[in-house]
Amino acid sequence: MTKHEFFVDMTCEGCSGAVTRVLNKLGGVQFDIDLPNKKVFIESDHSVDLLLETLKKTGKNASYIGTK
Amino acid sequence: LYSILVSVEGMTCNSCVESIEDKIGKLQGVYSIKVSLDSKNAMMFFDPTFQTTESLREAIDDMGFEASVSV
Ligand SMILES: [Cu+2]
Ligand SMILES: [Cu+2]
């Protein structure tokens, strides 16, 4: 599995909670959230596009940084 | 025009409120949305041609906030 790094414009616990929920809903992911640095690390076999789309469901700005 | 009140869990501040109002407010058929952080709910007015109680509840839930229709 590849580990991907994403930027997600999270500002509070509510944001990281929302990211946690959308990723758990998607399934097939293992992830870590770094709230202060606005980063989300995801290990998954899903495509980057799908992961990014999922993160954007929260209504926050999100972008792909690269593989870790 | 219909209205619904949806309970929303997981919001912690005004930016949570704004992101929900912003995203849901842009959906087709949604005339207005007012989210309350204190009461943990969202009040929406919508056109039943484009949205249903369930579609709106699900739209909020999809954003990562636990949403349920409070009768
Ligand atoms: Cu937030
Ligand atoms: Cu917040």
Side-chain angles (χ1 to χ4, degrees):
Chain A
M1 272 202 279
T2 325
K3 193 166 188 179
H4 301 288
E5 187 177 352
F6 293 88
F7 164 83
V8 182
D9 197 10
M10 301 173 288
T11 51
C12 67
E13 300 280 321
C15 300
S16 56
V19 168
T20 300
R21 268 191 107 238
V22 293
L23 288 174
N24 282 335
K25 210 169 177 181
L26 174 69
V29 292
Q30 277 193 307
F31 58 93
D32 273 317
I33 298 175
D34 180 348
L35 181 55
N37 293 308
K38 304 186 174 191
K39 282 180 180 169
V40 180
F41 301 96
I42 308 175
E43 233 176 302
S44 173
D45 287 329
H46 292 307
S47 70
V48 168
D49 282 352
L50 178 61
L51 294 173
L52 192 56
E53 209 176 288
T54 303
L55 291 170
K56 283 183 176 166
K57 280 185 172 185
T58 58
K60 301 285 166 190
N61 270 329
S63 57
Y64 183 50
I65 297 174
T67 46
K68 248 270 183 184
Chain B
L1 211 57
Y2 285 29
S3 71
I4 49 159
L5 186 65
V6 174
S7 302
V8 184
E9 290 292 331
M11 300 183 290
T12 56
C13 69
N14 269 317
S15 91
C16 296
V17 169
E18 278 164 30
S19 60
I20 295 175
E21 287 184 341
D22 200 58
K23 190 154 182 183
I24 305 299
K26 280 180 189 148
L27 296 178
Q28 188 174 30
V30 177
Y31 284 94
S32 72
I33 171 165
K34 183 81 197 103
V35 176
S36 165
L37 184 61
D38 291 335
S39 318
K40 296 181 180 177
N41 62 28
M43 177 78 177
M44 288 162 281
F45 286 94
F46 65 99
D47 180 340
T49 319
F50 299 106
Q51 299 290 343
T52 62
T53 299
E54 178 52 22
S55 70
L56 290 172
R57 187 207 62 79
E58 205 183 319
I60 295 175
D61 207 82
D62 266 351
M63 290 183 70
F65 295 94
E66 205 172 315
S68 55
V69 178
S70 38
V71 185

